[in-house]
């Protein structure tokens, strides 16, 4: 499958015109990560947005006094990284490949520019971004409930 076809098969391309998918493909590249490799590092520049094609990626967070906590594990058809969209463009979490992982990597600066120039593309990408943020907030909420639950599980 070509890069253009990979991009075209993503959720956010539903309903977009062929030239809009071409624009998105122009921002993308296909990358692979070995198990243990980091896609994102907390506090590092957020210069990419990833869509998992194959494999699994752990979303991790460093918590003072508790070390590194895995918030969730994501797989195919899920997005990784959202800090590329809003200044200061710094990663808020670590993302580490658990298995051999293949992704579509979108250059953040080029994607932001495309989204500004083409509102239909911007809206389509934002729908995926908002869904990702919602999932991550829910995962964080569940982690907090687990960490701060009273001993024995009673409220």
């Amino acid at each position: 499958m070509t890069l253009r076809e990979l991009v075209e098969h993503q959720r956010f391309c539903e309903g977009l015109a062929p030239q809009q998918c071409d624009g998105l493909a122009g921002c993308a590249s296909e990358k692979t990560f070995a198990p243990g490799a980091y896609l994102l590092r907390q506090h590092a520049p957020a210069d990419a947005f990833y869509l998992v094609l194959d494999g699994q990626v752990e979303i991790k967070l460093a918590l003072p006094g508790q070390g590194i906590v895995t918030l969730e594990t994501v797989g195919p058809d899920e997005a990784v990284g959202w800090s590329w969209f809003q200044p200061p463009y710094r990663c808020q979490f670590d993302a580490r490949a658990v298995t051999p992982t293949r992704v579509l990597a979108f250059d953040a600066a080029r994607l932001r520019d495309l989204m500004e120039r083409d509102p239909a593309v911007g809206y389509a990408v934002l729908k995926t971004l908002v869904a990702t943020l919602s999932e991550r907030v829910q995962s964080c909420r569940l982690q907090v409930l687990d960490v701060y639950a009273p001993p024995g599980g009673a409220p």
Side-chain angles (χ1 to χ4, degrees):
M1 190 175 287
T2 67
L3 181 61
R4 165 65 164 73
E5 291 168 332
L6 285 172
V7 170
E8 186 176 44
H9 283 89
Q10 300 309 307
R11 281 181 286 182
F12 60 73
C13 282
E14 291 176 15
L16 292 180
Q19 68 270 22
Q20 292 169 317
C21 292
D22 288 339
L24 284 164
C27 299
S29 62
E30 190 175 351
K31 292 188 176 184
T32 58
F33 293 89
Y38 283 86
L39 287 72
L40 305 170
R41 294 304 303 247
Q42 191 172 352
H43 307 298
D47 54 8
F49 164 57
Y50 300 99
L51 293 173
V52 179
L53 299 171
D54 300 301
Q56 292 186 319
V57 176
E58 290 178 322
I59 308 298
K60 300 171 123 352
L61 177 64
L63 294 176
Q66 297 195 24
I68 306 293
V69 175
T70 299
L71 299 176
E72 74 177 304
T73 302
V74 299
D77 299 321
E78 294 189 85
V80 176
W82 52 268
S83 301
W84 61 272
F85 183 73
Q86 184 68 32
Y89 308 122
R90 307 296 285 179
C91 295
Q92 302 299 309
F93 303 95
D94 287 342
R96 187 179 68 86
V98 177
T99 63
T101 300
R102 185 172 63 108
V103 300
L104 276 176
F106 289 85
D107 178 273
R110 291 177 71 187
L111 184 55
R112 285 190 302 269
D113 182 58
L114 176 62
M115 291 170 66
E116 283 287 327
R117 287 184 285 117
D118 189 332
V121 170
Y123 180 67
V125 173
L126 279 177
K127 286 192 300 186
T128 296
L129 180 63
V130 168
T132 299
L133 288 170
S134 179
E135 291 166 8
R136 297 306 181 276
V137 167
Q138 180 65 8
S139 290
C140 286
R141 186 177 88 64
L142 293 173
Q143 286 290 331
V144 167
L145 289 174
D146 187 46
V147 168
Y148 293 104

